[in-house]
Amino acid sequence: MRIVFEKRKSRARGILFAVPALSFMISMLLSGIVLLIAGANPFETFASMASGAFGSSNGFSETLVKTIPLALTGLAVALAFKLRFWNIGAEGQLVLGGIASSWVALFLGPSLPEPLVLPLCIAAGFAAGALWAGIPGLLKTRLSVDETLVTLMLNYVAILFAEYLYYGPWRDPKGYGFPGSAPFIEAAWLPRIFGRAHAGIWFIPVIALLFWVLLRRTRWGFELSIIGASPRAARYQGIAVQRNILLAVLLSGAIAGLAGACEVTGISHRLQQGLNLGYGFTAIIIAWMSQLNPLAIPFVALLMGGILVGGDQVQMMMGLPSAMGTVMQGLILFPMLAGSLFTEYRIRVLSGKAKKSKVACVEGEA
Amino acid sequence: MIEKNNSQPLVRMSGISKAFPGVQANDCVDLELHPGEVLALLGENGAGKSTLMNILCGLYRPDAGEIELRGRKVSIEGPKDSQALGIGMVHQNFKLVDSMTVLENIILGMKNQPLVLDMKKVRAEVLQLSKRYNLKVEPDASIWQLSVGEQQRVEILKLLYRKAEILILDEPTAVLTPQESDELAKVIRLMKTEGKSAIFITHKMEEVMNFSDRVMVLRKGRLVAGLSTTSTSPSQLARLMVGRELLFSIDKKPFSPGKTILSLDRVCAKDDRGLDALKEVSLNIRSGEILGIAGVAGNGQKELAEVITGLRKLKSGSLRLDKEDMSQSSPIAMIKAGVAHIPQDRSSAGSVGDLSVASNLAMKEYRKPPLSTGIFIIPQRITSLAKKLIERFKIMTPGPDTHLKFLSGGNIQKTILAREIGACKSLLVAVYPSRGLDIGATESVRRQLVDQRDQGFGVLFVSEDIDELIQVADTIAVLFEGRVMAVMPSKEAAPERLGLLMAGVGA
């Protein structure tokens, strides 16, 4: 008897749902084992996590607060990943978006007409994210510099630049030494809709839908799907490969920058520590778990947001180490990646017995 | 129709079956090979020839069936086992490391080598083998410096050095000039006199008749005949292979060329390595003309096609399309000017395996109505166009949404052809369009080229098959090392002369 992997002839729709669901169950199982080792009752812990993240209005609003940047950065990296541009710099693009948005709010805001302030803050975040992604984008498309390293390292440049600003020149003189800028004027605040959850949430469905329409219904999206599948074939079809990759990367960075703008105008109302919470990295997990499907990303982001908030809850209620939430994220990713094998392949068990040679197959037909 | 030979066979494969998703590549196939025998394995594309041989050399494992060697049952789990049993294969795409030398490639991957290699001894042995079999090759040259024919010699030397008794050659002459093919035939005959046996895969009748003692015909994964070569004829074999009568000639309207569509004037261009690939190439294609480009692969054909389609920059010289200077044009400008391209590399440049058949068919037409309006594409119209083309070009696919990679080579080529013919408004550039296709598919490809010509378009047709060129083209130009050696009407082109020109003789 032999077990072989066989490439699937076509991908059944059911598989696309069944595999992630099963992977998630396996990761719950693995998490349960880790929790047992840590001396906690897994069922109690999961229940506590779930109620912490979704059970109360306060918890749920915190889950949404995390879902917004997770979903936006998830969409951002998914767009770049579609073109096999490995943008792992969403974190840095988010931070730079936050910086630019803060700059508008702090220095232009007071002298601008009020209704213009917030849109300009958002636009600045959008543009700055694009700019930050544009650096690896240009390096990659013009000079073939590997984007993985450049995007990764630019994260730290952006994070340290933000630190420099709120510890240094932008530090609030009235802030009692607290590292952070002065608070924004109220015209630069994104309205709150539910607890701390803010109006930035509406960007999620809008961008997810636009993303989907772009890929499935537009000429540009069609070109992007060709480039993503085979840059060489795209070139032979007369598609300007490098230019289109650059454009998509700029857009990817812009969406991440938008997430940063939402963070400062929606949550902190100033530039301060805590802008770089690792959303841009978790976004990579979200994008893969969603199999780069823009319509799945918001829901996966909500789940991830729930795990983050639930993880904090568990820390407080069950006395578990705070790293447990991160451990669980990791444990979700692994079965997910393993599971993606089964959307492409299936397992077949062969019997080892040889068929007897049939007489029929040696008879000529001519 | 199986003729028996009563001596103990060297190899006996019995009841071999192998399935790939959606295809029964081999269905209960029996094969015998006797000592000192050259066996031809004839069949169309997808008939299962390569699969069967890959099973014999251990790259695939059969789903069912047994292999015996000299009467003993053997289990071949991988290339290591087949090598130990004296079986060696020269694959269609050579398995050589480009940056390494001939000698290094020959010993690469051999078992039981001393920790420090005795290259002197290896060299002496290789030189001796190369002399004995008349396989001339420079032992210290890097593979990338060698011509395709030389690389094939390295592959054969590699097998001989490993003391292979059974040589499997997968379409060995596909890449050779006629002269090189004759040389290969001599080598095979010499090996035969030494008691070695060979199996070669082919779909050319001529080779079967010239090379082999016995021929086995496969069709759709099944063995349909095993005959001794002397008792059969090309037409009988062709019938067995396709299961129907074939037309070997193609009818076309008399040649009456119109105005010049494409004109190249002293065009020079470099290849990917920065070496001169085209040297002062001047050619004209008129409307209603098929210009055939003869030459051994790698003599500038690919670069010529890329220059004409805007994919490669001209170093000097000029390119005019309908009298307009397009020397510096981008690929999209050439596409818009109605130049269609069937590239040499059909799976990686001509099509996208991970996209659907429908998407592949729409890759040129999506830019304009009815497939798109403004910035939007209309998926339903892409699907309905695809359905139409699938029917018209007889593309065998489960449906328009199937990923292209699940189709056979011939059907992938039909998909490209269907798309490019739709996009052709002035010139069709077809590079080896029938390479590796079976007779049925080849026939339909040639038919399409002639149809484009009859409609008044120009066709640039690159092929290595001289007979095909003479039959299909109106005018033939021979490329050798990036130079046009000669241009002549195909009626006046004798195969021998073309062969010599392709080898750089008689400029």
Side-chain angles (χ1 to χ4, degrees):
Chain A
M1 200 183 79
R2 260 182 359 183
I3 295 169
V4 292
F5 280 96
E6 207 172 63
K7 214 158 172 82
R8 286 181 192 277
K9 266 203 78 169
S10 57
R11 264 180 261 172
R13 235 156 218 290
I15 294 290
L16 290 179
F17 291 100
V19 168
L22 198 69
S23 305
F24 187 68
M25 269 145 65
I26 292 171
S27 53
M28 295 291 276
L29 196 72
L30 293 175
S31 306
I33 294 169
V34 174
L35 287 169
L36 271 180
I37 294 169
N41 178 340
F43 297 104
E44 224 176 283
T45 313
F46 290 142
S48 159
M49 277 184 81
S51 76
F54 302 103
S56 66
S57 63
N58 188 32
F60 188 56
S61 106
E62 282 310 302
T63 299
L64 289 183
V65 163
K66 295 199 183 295
T67 302
I68 296 166
L70 285 175
L72 290 177
T73 48
L75 289 164
V77 297
L79 178 58
F81 285 3
K82 276 269 175 201
L83 289 164
R84 297 195 208 166
F85 184 97
W86 308 118
N87 177 14
I88 52 175
E91 185 78 358
Q93 290 141 24
L94 176 149
V95 168
L96 210 78
I99 292 173
S101 192
S102 302
W103 180 74
V104 172
L106 291 169
F107 301 106
L108 296 185
S111 53
L112 281 170
E114 270 196 15
L116 270 182
V117 177
L118 190 59
L120 270 177
C121 286
I122 301 289
F126 205 72
L131 177 85
W132 210 236
I135 297 169
L138 268 177
L139 286 172
K140 165 85 171 186
T141 53
R142 290 288 151 82
L143 302 170
S144 306
V145 178
D146 183 74
E147 75 279 13
T148 326
L149 273 177
V150 181
T151 50
L152 179 67
M153 292 194 295
L154 282 179
N155 286 331
Y156 304 110
V157 177
I159 291 168
L160 291 170
F161 182 47
E163 273 184 26
Y164 160 75
L165 289 173
Y166 60 69
Y167 274 108
W170 288 9
R171 191 179 198 146
D172 184 7
K174 285 175 261 164
Y176 309 104
F178 183 76
S181 74
F184 300 167
I185 53 165
E186 268 190 54
W189 293 13
L190 261 178
R192 295 264 160 95
I193 53 166
F194 175 51
R196 290 209 304 151
H198 52 82
I201 199 165
W202 302 122
F203 285 121
I204 301 174
V206 171
I207 291 175
L209 279 173
L210 280 177
F211 186 176
W212 186 86
V213 169
L214 167 76
L215 282 182
R216 297 299 187 82
R217 291 285 184 272
T218 68
R219 281 171 47 180
W220 191 45
F222 187 65
E223 289 176 353
L224 294 185
S225 68
I226 299 173
I227 296 171
S230 168
R232 181 145 179 252
R235 195 168 102 80
Y236 274 69
Q237 298 308 317
I239 296 166
V241 175
Q242 305 303 337
R243 200 187 64 203
N244 280 309
I245 290 181
L246 182 60
L247 279 175
V249 168
L250 289 176
L251 198 52
S252 163
I255 299 170
L258 175 67
C262 288
E263 286 296 286
V264 293
T265 57
I267 303 290
S268 60
H269 300 157
R270 61 172 85 208
L271 185 69
Q272 63 176 21
Q273 215 158 22
L275 184 53
N276 54 305
L277 293 174
Y279 294 132
F281 296 116
T282 309
I284 298 167
I285 306 180
I286 293 170
W288 279 128
M289 276 181 75
S290 315
Q291 292 163 7
L292 307 187
N293 178 351
L295 299 186
I297 285 171
F299 300 100
V300 177
L302 183 66
L303 180 72
M304 277 297 188
I307 289 174
L308 287 177
V309 172
D312 290 344
Q313 177 80 1
V314 164
Q315 185 193 347
M316 288 183 282
M317 304 284 290
M318 315 281 298
L320 286 168
S322 63
M324 200 50 90
T326 324
V327 169
M328 288 182 63
Q329 272 189 36
L331 287 176
I332 287 177
L333 184 63
F334 280 115
M336 217 66 215
L337 292 177
S340 66
L341 179 75
F342 296 100
T343 56
E344 288 277 338
Y345 293 86
R346 61 178 180 178
I347 291 184
R348 211 161 66 116
V349 180
L350 296 175
S351 70
K353 271 200 167 176
K355 262 195 279 177
K356 269 275 166 72
S357 168
K358 282 177 274 174
V359 184
C361 71
V362 291
E363 277 172 7
E365 290 168 34
Chain B
M1 202 183 261
I2 307 296
E3 291 172 15
K4 291 282 169 199
N5 181 330
N6 291 321
S7 70
Q8 160 95 300
L10 185 57
V11 178
R12 170 182 280 145
M13 299 174 84
S14 46
I16 301 288
S17 292
K18 174 81 186 171
F20 294 110
V23 200
Q24 187 71 38
N26 285 152
D27 187 5
C28 199
V29 177
D30 295 344
L31 173 145
E32 279 184 9
L33 179 70
H34 296 271
E37 181 181 60
V38 177
L39 174 68
L41 209 50
L42 183 70
E44 293 195 282
N45 270 96
K49 308 172 301 252
S50 295
T51 305
L52 188 65
M53 289 302 104
N54 279 328
I55 287 171
L56 183 56
C57 76
L59 284 176
Y60 295 153
R61 291 174 61 183
D63 298 339
E66 288 177 357
I67 302 173
E68 282 173 35
L69 208 76
R70 299 186 182 87
R72 267 186 34 235
K73 196 185 156 193
V74 291
S75 138
I76 302 176
E77 304 268 316
K80 246 187 292 179
D81 295 341
S82 63
Q83 197 183 316
L85 293 168
I87 301 170
M89 179 159 174
V90 177
H91 294 268
Q92 224 171 336
N93 305 311
F94 301 147
K95 313 287 182 202
L96 297 169
V97 182
D98 270 358
S99 57
M100 290 175 114
T101 67
V102 170
L103 282 183
E104 286 166 343
N105 268 283
I106 285 174
I107 54 162
L108 189 68
M110 274 183 80
K111 297 289 145 197
N112 307 322
Q113 291 292 304
L115 195 59
V116 178
L117 294 166
D118 185 357
M119 288 309 273
K120 250 189 216 155
K121 191 168 142 242
V122 175
R123 175 194 307 270
E125 285 169 3
V126 169
L127 285 176
Q128 199 204 342
L129 278 176
S130 114
K131 206 169 143 200
R132 185 155 110 224
Y133 291 99
N134 199 19
L135 289 162
K136 268 180 240 122
V137 68
E138 168 57 45
D140 296 311
S142 293
I143 297 301
W144 63 265
Q145 297 172 310
L146 303 183
S147 73
V148 186
E150 287 173 312
Q151 292 186 11
Q152 187 180 59
R153 279 177 234 156
V154 178
E155 284 278 19
I156 295 172
L157 274 174
K158 193 162 98 182
L159 302 186
L160 293 172
Y161 187 77
R162 285 151 203 236
K163 313 228 167 4
E165 290 296 313
I166 300 157
L167 281 87
I168 307 167
L169 305 165
D170 194 349
E171 299 199 17
T173 61
V175 293
L176 302 181
T177 59
Q179 283 82 359
E180 283 176 318
S181 298
D182 290 345
E183 290 292 314
L184 180 66
K186 276 186 211 152
V187 173
I188 292 176
R189 268 179 225 124
L190 190 60
M191 290 192 300
K192 219 170 90 172
T193 60
E194 298 193 350
K196 293 185 192 289
S197 316
I199 303 177
F200 73 94
I201 300 174
T202 184
H203 47 235
K204 294 186 191 159
M205 305 301 154
E206 202 183 321
E207 278 172 23
V208 175
M209 304 313 288
N210 286 348
F211 283 36
S212 71
D213 304 312
R214 219 153 48 82
V215 50
M216 280 184 41
V217 185
L218 286 181
R219 187 165 76 222
K220 291 180 182 153
R222 297 171 139 256
L223 179 63
V224 293
L227 303 158
S228 88
T229 310
T230 47
S231 70
T232 185
S233 65
S235 58
Q236 185 192 16
L237 288 175
R239 244 190 347 262
L240 287 167
M241 188 162 111
V242 258
R244 63 185 165 91
E245 295 285 342
L246 270 174
L247 300 166
F248 270 99
S249 68
I250 195 156
D251 43 277
K252 50 184 188 184
K253 289 186 196 162
F255 178 44
S256 63
K259 62 178 171 45
T260 301
I261 289 181
L262 177 85
S263 119
L264 298 178
D265 186 25
R266 282 169 289 133
V267 167
C268 296
K270 295 197 182 269
D271 66 11
D272 293 334
R273 288 175 294 177
L275 305 173
D276 290 327
L278 294 179
K279 299 163 190 159
E280 308 239 316
V281 170
S282 297
L283 289 170
N284 289 303
I285 302 179
R286 290 162 289 180
S287 87
E289 177 181 31
I290 297 180
L291 175 67
I293 302 290
V296 179
N299 274 289
Q301 295 93 326
K302 177 172 163 248
E303 288 79 8
L304 178 65
E306 289 182 349
V307 158
I308 296 173
T309 49
L311 290 157
R312 188 172 291 274
K313 291 260 165 295
L314 275 71
K315 207 181 82 187
S316 62
S318 72
L319 184 158
R320 285 167 184 282
L321 193 71
D322 280 335
K323 302 224 168 64
E324 200 177 323
D325 185 44
M326 307 271 286
S327 307
Q328 302 301 327
S329 291
S330 63
I332 184 73
M334 298 311 284
I335 289 169
K336 286 190 172 149
V339 177
H341 185 195
I342 298 168
Q344 174 173 357
D345 203 338
R346 66 180 74 124
S347 54
S348 79
S351 63
V352 182
D354 283 326
L355 294 180
S356 66
V357 174
S359 294
N360 273 281
L361 286 167
M363 272 178 200
K364 286 232 158 93
E365 294 293 314
Y366 75 92
R367 292 190 175 92
K368 47 185 197 274
L371 297 194
S372 61
T373 52
I375 64 162
F376 293 103
I377 54 167
I378 302 161
Q380 300 89 311
R381 293 198 187 149
I382 289 181
T383 309
S384 64
L385 170 79
K387 282 184 182 152
K388 233 183 285 167
L389 290 174
I390 287 168
E391 203 183 302
R392 188 173 142 213
F393 287 85
K394 300 188 177 61
I395 300 167
M396 300 293 285
T397 169
D401 297 328
T402 305
H403 281 191
L404 192 74
K405 64 182 168 193
F406 296 120
L407 269 53
S408 73
N411 284 301
I412 289 177
Q413 188 70 324
K414 281 187 202 166
T415 305
I416 296 171
L417 202 69
R419 177 186 71 218
E420 296 302 323
I421 280 176
C424 177
K425 298 285 173 283
S426 58
L427 181 70
L428 176 64
V429 177
V431 188
Y432 308 119
S434 61
R435 185 193 256 178
L437 299 188
D438 59 46
I439 292 187
T442 300
E443 226 187 12
S444 88
V445 167
R446 292 176 185 168
R447 183 73 254 159
Q448 297 295 347
L449 297 184
V450 171
D451 282 351
Q452 292 306 103
R453 161 206 185 258
D454 288 349
Q455 283 179 42
F457 300 130
V459 178
L460 180 94
F461 173 41
V462 178
S463 172
E464 306 167 308
D465 183 336
I466 291 179
D467 297 328
E468 179 183 55
L469 279 169
I470 292 177
Q471 204 184 96
V472 176
D474 302 302
T475 312
I476 295 178
V478 184
L479 267 187
F480 175 72
E481 291 187 343
R483 265 179 223 289
V484 177
M485 300 289 284
V487 183
M488 66 194 90
S490 62
K491 277 190 209 129
E492 296 165 21
E496 298 71 31
R497 173 143 186 257
L498 285 179
L500 287 171
L501 287 167
M502 282 164 70
V505 182

